[in-house]
Amino acid sequence: ARLGRLASLILSSSLASADQWAGEVKRLFDAIELDDAAAAEQELEARHMYRGDPEREEIRAMRASRGPAVYEAMWGPNEWTVTGALQGWDVCERLQELDLPTLVVRGGHDLSTPLVARTLVEGIAGAREVVLEHSSHMPVLEETEQYLAVVRGVLRETEEGESF
């Protein structure tokens, strides 16, 4: 392991550009054929945020502690409208600065779409992608064992000094 710096990086359902993310989520939202905007937003969440049991303890706790004012101040009124402090946030040009084994992991139905993930994978030399096909934005809760196996594998390879 490298002392004093990161040995590897795992980016889970992540992004490099707020505008790209918002554009992709808007595309997913527009594909939902419901006339009622609130119902369409719920459907977006059911398809692309969390596809599992909505009564799971972690989901209930997340909903109970959610801070809508903070979310709106940082991001905006929804996932496809960036008006908050993160408006214009983009690190695409800086991805090449990352020089360490990097895993990009996401769900097959994730808000982190193939385009969003490809930006990370192509921008970081040697990065690789793992897609958990039955998950959306929370693969750690939707395919927990598979997710943990992937993470454990990366950690084991990093510890052994291998480049995964």
Side-chain angles (χ1 to χ4, degrees), residues 2 100-102 126 157-158 160-164:
R2 303 174 192 168
L100 71 167
T102 301
E157 290 172 28
T158 300
E160 294 169 0
E162 298 174 19
S163 177
F164 60 86

Side-chain angles (χ1 to χ4, degrees), residues 28-94:
L28 295 173
F29 179 76
D30 288 347
I32 297 170
E33 297 179 357
L34 293 172
D35 292 332
D36 178 78
E41 200 162 347
Q42 283 183 320
E43 183 62 21
L44 176 77
E45 189 169 313
R47 289 182 190 182
H48 301 289
M49 182 65 113
Y50 180 69
R51 298 170 66 88
D53 176 6
E55 297 305 313
R56 188 170 167 150
E57 177 57 35
E58 294 92 332
I59 299 301
R60 284 196 312 271
M62 179 197 70
R63 291 185 200 289
S65 64
R66 193 181 280 187
V70 174
Y71 173 84
E72 190 160 341
M74 292 303 296
W75 189 263
N78 54 50
E79 284 292 313
W80 61 90
T81 310
V82 187
T83 57
L86 291 171
Q87 185 178 27
W89 182 83
D90 189 311
V91 294
C92 293
E93 296 300 318
R94 297 199 63 196

Side-chain angles (χ1 to χ4, degrees), residues 1 26 36 46 60 69 76 78 90 121 143 148 152-153:
K26 178 69 167 133
D36 178 78
R60 284 196 312 271
N78 54 50
D90 189 311
V121 172
E143 293 183 78
L148 293 177
R152 282 185 196 109

Side-chain angles (χ1 to χ4, degrees), residues 5 9 11 16 90-102 118-127:
R5 65 180 268 203
L9 179 64
L11 299 172
D90 189 311
V91 294
C92 293
E93 296 300 318
R94 297 199 63 196
L95 294 175
Q96 65 188 352
E97 296 174 29
L98 293 171
D99 180 25
L100 71 167
T102 301
R118 187 169 56 244
T119 297
L120 294 166
V121 172
E122 291 178 358
I124 302 169

